[in-house]
Structure formats: C-alpha cells, structure tokens
Amino acid sequence: MSQLLWTSEEIALATGGTASDPFWVSGSISIDTRTLMPGDLFVALQDARDGHDFAEAAFKAGAAGALVSKPVSGGPAMMVDDVQVALEMMGIAARLRSGAIRTAVTGSVGKTSVKEMLARIYRAAGPAHWNVKSFNNHWGVPLTLARMPENTERAVFEIGMSTPGEIAPRSHMVRPHIGIITCIAGAHLEGLGSLEGVANEKADIFAGMEAGGTFILPADDAFLDHLSARARELCPTGNRETFGFAEDATARVTGYESNGVTSRITVEVIGQSVSVEIEAVGKHWALNVAAALLAASQTGRSLADCAEALSGYSPPPGRGTAERLPLPQGGHFTLVDDAYNANPASMRAALAALAQRPGGRRLVALGEMLEIGAQSDSEHAGLAADVVASGAEGVFLAGDKMTHLAEALPPGLQQVWAPKADELWNALLNAVRDGDVLLIKGSNASGMGRIADRLRQRSAAAGLGKMDSSAEDAAEVR
C-alpha cells in the first residue's frame, strides 16, 4: 500500500477539527467533484458556490472524507470553524513534516512556464511536487502545500496575485529556500498603480524566505536594483543570483537559435556552459530556461543533469503551444495557442516569436489585455508596430479596448474587429487556409481561449457543415 497522504487524526491535529468517524486519505485533496478520485479528501471551500452542496456527490465519487464547517451527509467529515483557514493550517503542517527544498516563483510574465520547467527537472531527480495548472492564489497555494507528500525532495510553488498584499502571506506559508522573480512588466497595474508598485508586490515573494535562502532576479530588468534592495530588506541573510543576457548574470544566455518549431538555448552558469532544446519559439523562452536552470542547480543537482532533464520541454496548453491542425476543406494550418493570458510584455514576445515561425501567411487573433490600468488605451495602440513587425497579413481583434489597436494599424492591413471573441469565429473560419500560421492571444477573461478550443474541435470532427452566420454578421471588417 502506498504511503497515506493524511489520516483524520493528523488533520485534526493540524486544524483543531473534530472527525465524525476516522478516515484515511490514500489519494490527494480535491475541491472539485468532477475531478475527484477515490481516496481523495474533499475540501468544501466556499467561493462562487458553496462546496458543502457537493459533499454528498464527493462521497458517491469515493471521497475518503470531507473537510467542512457545517454538517454534511454521506461519509466521514472533519468539522472545523473555517474551511479556508483549516486548509491553510494543513498546508503549513505538510510543509513542516517534509524535508523538501522549496522553490517559489512569481513575476509579471513567465512564472507558470518557469514553474513547469522546474517541475520537469525536479521530477527527474526524485520525488517532486508542484502546483497543477496555475493554482497560485489564496486557495491554490495552501491546497498545493496540503497535497505535498511527506517524502517530497524538491517542490516548486507558483505564487500569483490579483490585488495588493496577496503575495507576502503566501510566501510565509511556503517558506521558500529559493525565490524567483521572472520579470516586472505592466500586469495588474489597475490594482497596483505603477510598475514600482508591481515590483514591490512581486518582491514580497521573499517575505517568508528561509534564512540563508537564494533570491533569483532578472539581470536585464530595469527594476533589478530595486528588487535587490527589497530582497535584502526582507531576507538580509539571502544570497542574490541573477539570470539573463547581461554579461554579469550568474546564469547568462549565450546563445539562442530557432528553426521556427524548436529552439536551442545555451546558458553559461559560473563558467559552465550547457545547451537545452525546447519545443517553443521566441527569445523570451531563453530567459525562462536560464531562470529554471539556475534555480534547479541550487538544489544539489549538477547543471548538466538539469539541462538534460529540461531538454524536450514543451509549454503547457495556452502558453504558446503550436499545433498542426487539419482544415475541413483539406490542408493544414498551424495554431499557436497563447490565449491563457496577456499583458503588453507577453503580447510583444508572442508577436516577435510569430515572425520566426515558418509557413504561409501569418494571422493574428488578439483579445483585450485586462487589468493594466490608466495606460490601457495607449498600451493597446502601442502594439501596432509589433503586429506589423510580426509579418501578419490578417488581424482579428476582439473587445472594446482593441479598437485602439485597430485605429493604430496601417490602413492597408486587413483587419476584422468584433465586440466579443466568439463573434470572430466565422470571420476566422473564412480566412484560415492551407499553410497559414495563426496566433491566438488575449487575457484569460477575453475569451480567446474558446476560439482556440473550437478550432481544435472543428479540426477533429468529421463531416462538418457550414457554421451559423450570425456571429460573422457581428464582426466589423475594416
């Protein structure tokens, strides 16, 4: 029998709760009955919906027990005063019982990619743990900690925020030995007000750092000195290391080449050089590789072993993955799905990478960039030069904020604008043809990801007929 993750006795000790009956968690911890597996602990969080309403379904799906703050039926329950607080206490208890080397990652761009790269390297070295998807918020971080098995040797945690003051408490929860800031860019300006505000919030990842830990900073970032000062203030005994293209970076990118499908990146760390080949395109990926290699090399693995483990990496869905999809009328096109999120820096990186991809025409479908504050109009308009430089021959834009980009584009560049992402659907279908490369990108809430999903579904389906034209009528051709 595999090692138990939790017993009801251990949960009671961590949370101060009371179990209706003893139980043993042989699986993981779940907050969603749709993905719950037999042996999991169901945590009845209260968010948009009350998790207690799904406790009975969780038990029917095989839950070992449930963490609750009010009575439920169907199986053994651990009664606590507050489920969110109890989950946090379980996370801290899981951290204390494990000897894992903990890495925490944040930043305006690239944090999920660096987290996934480190997870890949750590898995190759032994028992490893990491947050799934982007579980990096007030419940995602404690949930990830509480899921961490006791025998974990290396763990990586992505820490994000949507409002000021969120990163520091999550850092204190994780207590990282290694902390990484990928970059400072114009994301969450609506809540933080300025790039300096973004830098201060991201630097709070070092608030809970273990004494003598390592903080890893972007060497080419304009806020490097500011971040260094904040890191020293928060962790005076910490060791500073850097990554980037700068000559004095601890992990220096010395080479980048791409065939438009894969990239080969060479990084030098304190005189030792290694190369990594990944299934992603764009010079910004070299920075992610350098950050991941530097952090992993701080955990006792050789740089060569880290590079070998990282080679072959491909981005998670929606983060720049490229797929060759068949067209119903015959032929294929390449879909570059980068629709998980967007801010000015990531938009420019994606457009620059598009210019490197081989194929026929280049098309771009872009949704709004959200939460970027008072500069929103100018930031959207400012993408025009990057769109032109990408070589795009057709531009599809969704959302009111994208009208500013539409107005800034050259009049001869074919473009289609629609109020909502879904209303671009038919216009895109009519435009895409054999050999095209289509980039789809936008903030998660812009809905551009749904377009990418529908394109995959259409390609996979057999015998498709014509689509309803109502959405096409809503798009405005300029």
Side-chain angles (χ1 to χ4, degrees), residues 173-186:
M173 199 174 299
V174 171
R175 298 285 298 175
H177 301 93
I178 302 164
I180 307 169
I181 297 177
T182 57
C183 74
I184 301 300

PDB file of all heavy atoms in Angstrom, residues 173-186:
ATOM      1  N   MET A 173       3.626  31.206   3.979  1.00  0.00           N
ATOM      2  CA  MET A 173       3.075  29.865   4.039  1.00  0.00           C
ATOM      3  C   MET A 173       4.056  28.844   3.452  1.00  0.00           C
ATOM      4  O   MET A 173       4.287  27.780   4.030  1.00  0.00           O
ATOM      5  CB  MET A 173       1.745  29.833   3.273  1.00  0.00           C
ATOM      6  CG  MET A 173       0.842  28.679   3.602  1.00  0.00           C
ATOM      7  SD  MET A 173      -0.748  28.855   2.757  1.00  0.00           S
ATOM      8  CE  MET A 173      -1.329  30.399   3.457  1.00  0.00           C
ATOM      9  N   VAL A 174       4.662  29.194   2.308  1.00  0.00           N
ATOM     10  CA  VAL A 174       5.570  28.279   1.616  1.00  0.00           C
ATOM     11  C   VAL A 174       6.945  28.231   2.275  1.00  0.00           C
ATOM     12  O   VAL A 174       7.596  27.190   2.314  1.00  0.00           O
ATOM     13  CB  VAL A 174       5.701  28.669   0.127  1.00  0.00           C
ATOM     14  CG1 VAL A 174       6.793  27.870  -0.569  1.00  0.00           C
ATOM     15  CG2 VAL A 174       4.365  28.471  -0.586  1.00  0.00           C
ATOM     16  N   ARG A 175       7.416  29.367   2.787  1.00  0.00           N
ATOM     17  CA  ARG A 175       8.765  29.494   3.363  1.00  0.00           C
ATOM     18  C   ARG A 175       9.815  28.952   2.369  1.00  0.00           C
ATOM     19  O   ARG A 175      10.520  27.970   2.639  1.00  0.00           O
ATOM     20  CB  ARG A 175       8.862  28.736   4.689  1.00  0.00           C
ATOM     21  CG  ARG A 175       7.950  29.231   5.779  1.00  0.00           C
ATOM     22  CD  ARG A 175       8.410  30.516   6.400  1.00  0.00           C
ATOM     23  NE  ARG A 175       9.716  30.377   7.060  1.00  0.00           N
ATOM     24  CZ  ARG A 175      10.389  31.391   7.604  1.00  0.00           C
ATOM     25  NH1 ARG A 175       9.903  32.616   7.511  1.00  0.00           N
ATOM     26  NH2 ARG A 175      11.537  31.177   8.178  1.00  0.00           N
ATOM     27  N   PRO A 176       9.959  29.601   1.219  1.00  0.00           N
ATOM     28  CA  PRO A 176      10.855  29.069   0.189  1.00  0.00           C
ATOM     29  C   PRO A 176      12.325  29.140   0.571  1.00  0.00           C
ATOM     30  O   PRO A 176      12.756  30.057   1.279  1.00  0.00           O
ATOM     31  CB  PRO A 176      10.566  29.966  -1.022  1.00  0.00           C
ATOM     32  CG  PRO A 176      10.089  31.252  -0.425  1.00  0.00           C
ATOM     33  CD  PRO A 176       9.310  30.858   0.797  1.00  0.00           C
ATOM     34  N   HIS A 177      13.087  28.165   0.093  1.00  0.00           N
ATOM     35  CA  HIS A 177      14.543  28.218   0.178  1.00  0.00           C
ATOM     36  C   HIS A 177      15.113  28.983  -1.024  1.00  0.00           C
ATOM     37  O   HIS A 177      16.210  29.542  -0.952  1.00  0.00           O
ATOM     38  CB  HIS A 177      15.138  26.806   0.179  1.00  0.00           C
ATOM     39  CG  HIS A 177      14.661  25.950   1.304  1.00  0.00           C
ATOM     40  ND1 HIS A 177      13.575  25.099   1.195  1.00  0.00           N
ATOM     41  CD2 HIS A 177      15.116  25.821   2.580  1.00  0.00           C
ATOM     42  CE1 HIS A 177      13.396  24.476   2.352  1.00  0.00           C
ATOM     43  NE2 HIS A 177      14.304  24.887   3.207  1.00  0.00           N
ATOM     44  N   ILE A 178      14.353  28.962  -2.134  1.00  0.00           N
ATOM     45  CA  ILE A 178      14.739  29.642  -3.363  1.00  0.00           C
ATOM     46  C   ILE A 178      13.536  30.439  -3.842  1.00  0.00           C
ATOM     47  O   ILE A 178      12.426  29.916  -3.915  1.00  0.00           O
ATOM     48  CB  ILE A 178      15.146  28.634  -4.460  1.00  0.00           C
ATOM     49  CG1 ILE A 178      16.308  27.757  -3.976  1.00  0.00           C
ATOM     50  CG2 ILE A 178      15.507  29.348  -5.762  1.00  0.00           C
ATOM     51  CD1 ILE A 178      16.507  26.507  -4.830  1.00  0.00           C
ATOM     52  N   GLY A 179      13.737  31.709  -4.150  1.00  0.00           N
ATOM     53  CA  GLY A 179      12.656  32.546  -4.656  1.00  0.00           C
ATOM     54  C   GLY A 179      13.054  33.158  -5.982  1.00  0.00           C
ATOM     55  O   GLY A 179      14.188  33.620  -6.141  1.00  0.00           O
ATOM     56  N   ILE A 180      12.145  33.159  -6.936  1.00  0.00           N
ATOM     57  CA  ILE A 180      12.437  33.653  -8.280  1.00  0.00           C
ATOM     58  C   ILE A 180      11.426  34.728  -8.669  1.00  0.00           C
ATOM     59  O   ILE A 180      10.216  34.542  -8.504  1.00  0.00           O
ATOM     60  CB  ILE A 180      12.350  32.525  -9.329  1.00  0.00           C
ATOM     61  CG1 ILE A 180      13.225  31.338  -8.942  1.00  0.00           C
ATOM     62  CG2 ILE A 180      12.721  33.040 -10.723  1.00  0.00           C
ATOM     63  CD1 ILE A 180      12.970  30.104  -9.804  1.00  0.00           C
ATOM     64  N   ILE A 181      11.913  35.836  -9.211  1.00  0.00           N
ATOM     65  CA  ILE A 181      11.076  36.813  -9.900  1.00  0.00           C
ATOM     66  C   ILE A 181      11.477  36.772 -11.364  1.00  0.00           C
ATOM     67  O   ILE A 181      12.636  37.029 -11.707  1.00  0.00           O
ATOM     68  CB  ILE A 181      11.244  38.230  -9.336  1.00  0.00           C
ATOM     69  CG1 ILE A 181      10.785  38.289  -7.874  1.00  0.00           C
ATOM     70  CG2 ILE A 181      10.452  39.240 -10.178  1.00  0.00           C
ATOM     71  CD1 ILE A 181      10.977  39.637  -7.220  1.00  0.00           C
ATOM     72  N   THR A 182      10.539  36.446 -12.251  1.00  0.00           N
ATOM     73  CA  THR A 182      10.868  36.299 -13.670  1.00  0.00           C
ATOM     74  C   THR A 182      11.077  37.646 -14.350  1.00  0.00           C
ATOM     75  O   THR A 182      12.014  37.814 -15.131  1.00  0.00           O
ATOM     76  CB  THR A 182       9.764  35.533 -14.401  1.00  0.00           C
ATOM     77  OG1 THR A 182       8.515  36.221 -14.226  1.00  0.00           O
ATOM     78  CG2 THR A 182       9.634  34.114 -13.856  1.00  0.00           C
ATOM     79  N   CYS A 183      10.186  38.613 -14.089  1.00  0.00           N
ATOM     80  CA  CYS A 183      10.326  39.951 -14.668  1.00  0.00           C
ATOM     81  C   CYS A 183       9.277  40.864 -14.065  1.00  0.00           C
ATOM     82  O   CYS A 183       8.323  40.403 -13.423  1.00  0.00           O
ATOM     83  CB  CYS A 183      10.189  39.925 -16.192  1.00  0.00           C
ATOM     84  SG  CYS A 183       8.495  39.678 -16.759  1.00  0.00           S
ATOM     85  N   ILE A 184       9.451  42.155 -14.291  1.00  0.00           N
ATOM     86  CA  ILE A 184       8.475  43.151 -13.883  1.00  0.00           C
ATOM     87  C   ILE A 184       7.935  43.810 -15.149  1.00  0.00           C
ATOM     88  O   ILE A 184       8.699  44.345 -15.960  1.00  0.00           O
ATOM     89  CB  ILE A 184       9.097  44.234 -12.971  1.00  0.00           C
ATOM     90  CG1 ILE A 184       9.701  43.577 -11.713  1.00  0.00           C
ATOM     91  CG2 ILE A 184       8.064  45.279 -12.584  1.00  0.00           C
ATOM     92  CD1 ILE A 184       8.724  42.804 -10.863  1.00  0.00           C
ATOM     93  N   ALA A 185       6.625  43.735 -15.341  1.00  0.00           N
ATOM     94  CA  ALA A 185       6.002  44.304 -16.535  1.00  0.00           C
ATOM     95  C   ALA A 185       4.620  44.822 -16.184  1.00  0.00           C
ATOM     96  O   ALA A 185       4.162  44.693 -15.048  1.00  0.00           O
ATOM     97  CB  ALA A 185       5.934  43.252 -17.646  1.00  0.00           C
ATOM     98  N   GLY A 186       3.958  45.417 -17.175  1.00  0.00           N
ATOM     99  CA  GLY A 186       2.693  46.096 -16.957  1.00  0.00           C
ATOM    100  C   GLY A 186       1.509  45.177 -16.789  1.00  0.00           C
ATOM    101  O   GLY A 186       0.554  45.255 -17.565  1.00  0.00           O
TER     102      GLY A 186
END
